[in-house]
Amino acid sequence: MAHHKAGGSSRNGRDSAGRRLGVKLFGGEEARGGNIIIRQRGTKFYPGSGVDMGRDHTIFAVTEGTVKFRETHGRTYVSVETEEKKAAGSK
């Protein structure tokens, strides 16, 4: 019979699954209410208009529109612009 000699215990072998963090909808993409835009640990990105932040710092859309990123005072804000806002801004 085939046998294995005792090899001792391994001190490695522990690894956790990836947390699937990051940007889920990029600038210019369409978002519907409830769509997750960013999953993050801490506030790397901040919520702008048309979005809200969850308990775990997830940024999600509350209105339907286009995702937009803008940087102000060293912070990156994420917002969702609706069609009415785009039309009003182009006049």
Side-chain angles (χ1 to χ4, degrees):
M1 283 204 281
H3 287 287
H4 267 286
K5 195 168 168 76
S9 61
S10 170
R11 290 171 71 175
N12 291 335
R14 291 173 304 280
D15 196 11
S16 59
R19 296 294 92 201
R20 277 77 172 172
L21 301 176
V23 179
K24 308 299 178 186
L25 290 176
F26 293 90
E29 289 191 292
E30 293 298 314
R32 295 172 65 190
N35 281 156
I36 292 172
I37 300 171
I38 298 174
R39 282 206 177 272
Q40 60 185 350
R41 291 290 166 262
T43 50
K44 186 175 179 184
F45 296 91
Y46 290 84
S49 61
V51 300
D52 210 349
M53 189 185 296
R55 256 184 345 155
D56 61 349
H57 302 104
T58 294
I59 295 179
F60 59 94
V62 292
T63 59
E64 193 169 325
T66 308
V67 177
K68 185 180 176 191
F69 289 82
R70 66 181 171 82
E71 202 166 313
T72 311
H73 304 296
R75 289 184 174 187
T76 305
Y77 290 90
V78 183
S79 54
V80 172
E81 287 194 346
T82 58
E83 295 301 318
E84 299 90 50
K85 272 192 180 176
K86 281 192 234 172
S90 63
K91 288 182 183 177

